[in-house]
Amino acid sequence: TMGGSGFGVMALVTGINRGFITRQQGLNRMQTIVGFLKNNAQKFKGAFPHWMNGVTGAVVPFSANDNGADLVETSFLMMGLLSARQYFNGVDAAETNLRNDINSLYNAVEWNWFRKNNENVLYWHWSPNFNWNINLQIRGWNECLITYVLSASSSTYGIPSSVYTNGFANNGTPPFTNGNNYFGIQLPLGEANGGPLFFAHYSFLGINPNGLNDTYANYFTQNTNHTKINYEYCKANPRGRFGYSDSCWGLTASDIPNGYTASSPNNDVGVIAPTAALSSFPYTPTESMKALKFFYYVLGDKLWKEYGFVDAFSLNNLWFANSFLAIDQGPIIVMIENYRSGLLWNLFTSCPEVKNGMRALGFTAPYL
């Protein structure tokens, strides 16, 4: 999975920085990853598919018409690679070549192609077989801010700010903007009750929300209030799910019994995903720590396995996933590190092209 791979790269950098592996071990792994993406991976207008065969690099179709480019997954991957480029800043040949290879991958993505016919919006998918059949516009508040930021940041295939304003931001109207109160907490952007918590995580593994503003919101306020609404919903537990409490909370996309869903206050199937609370450490450190201690000390080895916490669980019907999903594991590591040190925020937002792109879209922040 491309998005999970991008998050994994950011987790790898965290692991080096914390001394779990050496810089050389991390560099060796990055050379393997980047070499495979450069030489083996199937690409479409420079963009990557959602799923890829890890041996051959061939696309694995995600759904019936989805056997080509996935621009959002590509942006998650590029966020990770650009962060790694900033981290491996040595003057030796190995680190220099790694940076050059990452630059060539990023500069090859034809972001503006995904405007379809020069429309003022980006489209999520394109396939050489099915063209624009899926026809999904990237619009309204969700996890895709990073897609527009990286599209605007590209020096080779960039988009003008009008694509962001008219497309993602929907000209400052719903479903992008909100402004209503839920559990006494105002939500600047997005759907009623905030939606799944990954909206506050995925783009913000690299984009630092602290002090980040534009015409529409303060993004630290947005993400904090979104998280608090999710927490207050679980604490209030209006649907009477067994086990929900102020120390057992967090609704986001995850595996569920016999399937997968994007859990939220408006789609509550009784399943808690550890990534929801744990990737929210920058926003709700007290509430997230309480959840962490409950997951680890109370649920213990039912939940904590060889790769960390399993993807999700339900005390309501006593079910524990046996899966670990990259798009859930990666953000836990990265967001705890961002909370502790700001490492990945500092790396990603130190990219000169990212600064230019974010400024071009109308963002202000101390780091811009």
Side-chain angles (χ1 to χ4, degrees):
T1 175
M2 287 300 100
S5 296
F7 300 166
V9 165
M10 300 175 93
L12 197 73
V13 169
T14 305
I16 301 165
N17 211 54
R18 287 280 162 193
F20 285 92
I21 57 172
T22 65
R23 187 180 183 96
Q24 187 59 49
Q25 286 173 316
L27 176 63
N28 292 346
R29 172 55 55 185
M30 284 306 305
Q31 288 170 320
T32 300
I33 292 169
V34 171
F36 185 86
L37 292 172
K38 181 183 172 186
N39 301 316
N40 302 85
Q42 202 173 354
K43 296 177 273 291
F44 308 86
K45 306 290 182 183
F48 291 84
H50 190 133
W51 283 341
M52 178 184 293
N53 184 304
V55 177
T56 67
V59 60
V60 174
F62 187 71
S63 63
N65 293 324
D66 189 1
N67 69 341
D70 184 311
L71 196 65
V72 175
E73 292 285 314
T74 298
S75 65
F76 296 150
L77 176 66
M78 292 299 158
M79 175 172 61
L81 293 178
L82 290 174
S83 300
R85 183 195 75 185
Q86 297 302 98
Y87 186 79
F88 289 102
N89 57 0
V91 296
D92 58 289
E95 296 199 10
T96 300
N97 289 337
L98 180 71
R99 291 195 299 275
N100 290 338
D101 284 345
I102 289 171
N103 285 336
S104 68
L105 287 170
Y106 174 58
N107 290 329
V109 181
E110 297 180 31
W111 304 92
N112 58 0
W113 167 264
F114 293 85
R115 295 174 65 183
K116 202 153 111 180
N117 301 311
N118 271 342
E119 294 177 31
N120 273 336
V121 65
L122 292 173
Y123 283 79
W124 201 304
H125 312 88
W126 178 79
S127 157
N129 307 104
F130 304 107
N131 211 17
W132 305 101
N133 274 15
I134 297 177
N135 206 39
L136 181 60
Q137 295 182 345
I138 308 172
R139 181 189 295 278
W141 183 249
N142 54 33
E143 73 274 28
C144 305
L145 176 62
I146 187 66
T147 310
Y148 279 86
V149 165
L150 287 176
S151 298
S153 300
S154 172
S155 61
T156 46
Y157 297 101
I159 61 165
S161 61
S162 57
V163 180
Y164 172 76
T165 304
N166 292 287
F168 192 61
N170 209 45
N171 291 305
T173 63
F176 185 78
T177 50
N178 188 313
N180 293 312
N181 287 281
Y182 307 92
F183 299 94
I185 301 162
Q186 189 178 48
L187 185 69
L189 307 175
E191 62 188 71
N193 291 296
L197 272 179
F198 69 84
F199 291 1
H201 303 152
Y202 291 178
S203 285
F204 298 96
L205 301 186
I207 297 172
N208 185 352
N210 286 283
L212 181 64
N213 292 278
D214 67 0
T215 309
Y216 313 108
N218 172 289
Y219 287 84
F220 191 80
T221 300
Q222 163 64 26
N223 292 341
T224 300
N225 289 4
H226 177 189
T227 308
K228 286 183 172 175
I229 290 164
N230 199 289
Y231 165 79
E232 291 294 341
Y233 170 86
C234 292
K235 197 169 87 168
N237 193 14
R239 299 190 195 184
R241 306 298 192 197
F242 180 80
Y244 283 24
S245 73
D246 64 348
S247 56
C248 185
W249 62 276
L251 304 177
T252 193
S254 73
D255 283 345
I256 59 172
N258 307 308
Y260 184 89
T261 195
S263 293
S264 71
N266 293 357
N267 178 39
D268 174 13
V269 298
V271 172
I272 298 288
T275 190
L278 302 184
S279 301
S280 298
F281 255 97
Y283 313 127
T284 52
T286 302
E287 297 88 341
S288 294
M289 182 59 83
K290 200 164 181 180
L292 173 57
K293 288 179 174 177
F294 180 83
F295 298 156
Y296 189 77
Y297 291 115
V298 179
L299 297 181
D301 61 8
K302 294 185 185 66
L303 202 57
W304 181 262
K305 308 282 187 185
E306 60 271 40
Y307 303 115
F309 292 113
V310 299
D311 193 55
F313 66 94
S314 174
L315 299 180
N316 199 59
N317 54 12
L318 215 55
W319 168 85
F320 293 87
N322 56 15
S323 53
F324 303 88
L325 271 61
I327 54 171
D328 294 338
Q329 301 300 98
I332 294 175
I333 296 166
V334 174
M335 288 304 249
I336 288 177
E337 186 57 40
N338 277 334
Y339 168 64
R340 296 177 74 184
S341 73
L343 175 67
L344 284 311
W345 287 337
N346 294 338
L347 288 169
F348 181 72
T349 58
S350 72
C351 296
E353 60 270 65
V354 169
K355 289 181 188 287
N356 290 336
M358 291 184 71
R359 284 196 295 256
L361 294 184
F363 288 99
T364 61
Y367 55 82
L368 296 177

